[in-house]
Amino acid sequence: MIVESTRAAANHLFRPEFRAVLWKSIGLTVLLLIGLWFGLRELFEALAWPFFDQMLPELPSWAGWLGFIAGIFASIGLALGLALLIAPVTAIVAGLFLDDVAEVVEKEDYPLDPRGRPLPAVRSLILSVKFLGVVILGNIAALLMLLIPGVNIIAFFVVNGYLLGREFFEFAAMRFRPETEAKALRSKHATTVFLAGLVIAGFMAIPILNLLTPLFAAAMMVHLHKAVAQSEPPATVIR
């Protein structure tokens, strides 16, 4: 199921039917990442540079090259911070475009099946904010574990694999069933959903391509939910 869902999601990314959602998603993701990068830079300059000035008030003029080196390390640190922020940004963008992606996938690949229903706007916003908070907290935990040799990379994939798999699957499932049933279905197939989440985390770790993570993850979980639902009793009708 996971391999087939991954293949189907990858095939969707550059289809003409996906093009409008693709450009909107990429544009919003890039804008958010640029905004976050500038925010991180301003935060660094506001907090770090005054600290260095206090620690080294009598620094001789010939040691100005230390500022250059510090700037290089700061740039690397900002790049790493930006990489860790891709998951929260994905959470925001996914909440806005999940239904658009799902409708395209359902129309193209499951034309004879009943269509899912978009979540009510308020409920979708609440779930997106909740998803964003959970992903941020999870990635803070992963960031702390980055300091532990041998655990750092594993922590990144495990945390994001679990969180992204869980939330994207539940989003896809809630188009067809109540929230409680969606959560129960995810719990029943927790291993499958987690492994699918690891695929999403791996996709997210690929530079440039990771800008497409919201679309890829949403399409993949629509396919996975369809595959899982075939072995389950009919969902309760959403009214």
Side-chain angles (χ1 to χ4, degrees):
M1 287 189 293
I2 295 173
V3 172
E4 181 58 28
S5 297
T6 302
R7 183 198 63 78
N11 286 341
H12 266 292
L13 289 179
F14 300 102
R15 286 187 184 180
E17 299 83 1
F18 243 49
R19 198 162 292 155
V21 184
L22 173 69
W23 289 118
K24 286 190 292 185
S25 175
I26 290 177
L28 182 57
T29 301
V30 170
L31 285 175
L32 286 171
L33 288 173
I34 291 173
L36 288 169
W37 188 88
F38 277 108
L40 285 174
R41 191 185 69 173
E42 293 299 322
L43 184 64
F44 177 82
E45 291 181 354
L47 299 179
W49 286 123
F51 172 78
F52 286 126
D53 288 339
Q54 292 177 1
M55 290 290 294
L56 303 170
E58 304 298 330
L59 193 67
S61 58
W62 56 265
W65 56 271
L66 290 176
F68 176 74
I69 295 176
I72 293 176
F73 279 103
S75 299
I76 294 173
L78 288 172
L80 290 174
L82 202 62
L84 291 172
L85 287 170
I86 288 177
V89 169
T90 294
I92 298 173
V93 177
L96 296 174
F97 296 113
L98 176 65
D99 285 317
D100 292 341
V101 173
E103 286 177 7
V104 173
V105 174
E106 290 167 12
K107 178 181 177 181
E108 294 296 318
D109 290 359
Y110 307 96
L112 302 180
D113 291 359
R115 300 285 174 81
R117 289 191 177 187
L119 293 177
V122 175
R123 186 58 183 157
S124 178
L125 178 62
I126 292 172
L127 290 173
S128 296
V129 172
K130 177 185 173 184
F131 184 15
L132 174 62
V134 169
V135 170
I136 289 175
L137 290 175
N139 277 273
I140 289 174
L143 179 60
L144 295 176
M145 285 186 278
L146 286 176
L147 303 175
I148 306 174
V151 177
N152 39 30
I153 297 178
I154 296 174
F156 172 84
F157 281 101
V158 169
V159 169
N160 284 293
Y162 172 75
L163 293 176
L164 295 173
R166 185 188 74 178
E167 299 299 329
F168 274 101
F169 183 85
E170 290 182 5
F171 268 129
M174 281 189 286
R175 286 177 54 82
F176 294 91
R177 57 191 77 230
E179 186 174 347
T180 53
E181 286 189 17
K183 291 181 180 296
L185 183 65
R186 191 266 307 166
S187 296
K188 183 177 179 180
H189 299 274
T191 301
T192 300
V193 173
F194 171 66
L195 292 175
L198 288 179
V199 174
I200 297 173
F203 188 94
M204 189 173 66
I206 303 173
I208 306 301
L209 195 62
N210 53 16
L211 296 175
L212 303 177
T213 300
L215 298 184
F216 174 78
M220 180 182 181
M221 286 306 183
V222 169
H223 285 291
L224 188 65
H225 171 257
K226 284 285 188 179
V228 165
Q230 290 179 358
S231 62
E232 297 293 325
T236 301
V237 177
I238 303 176
R239 298 187 183 277

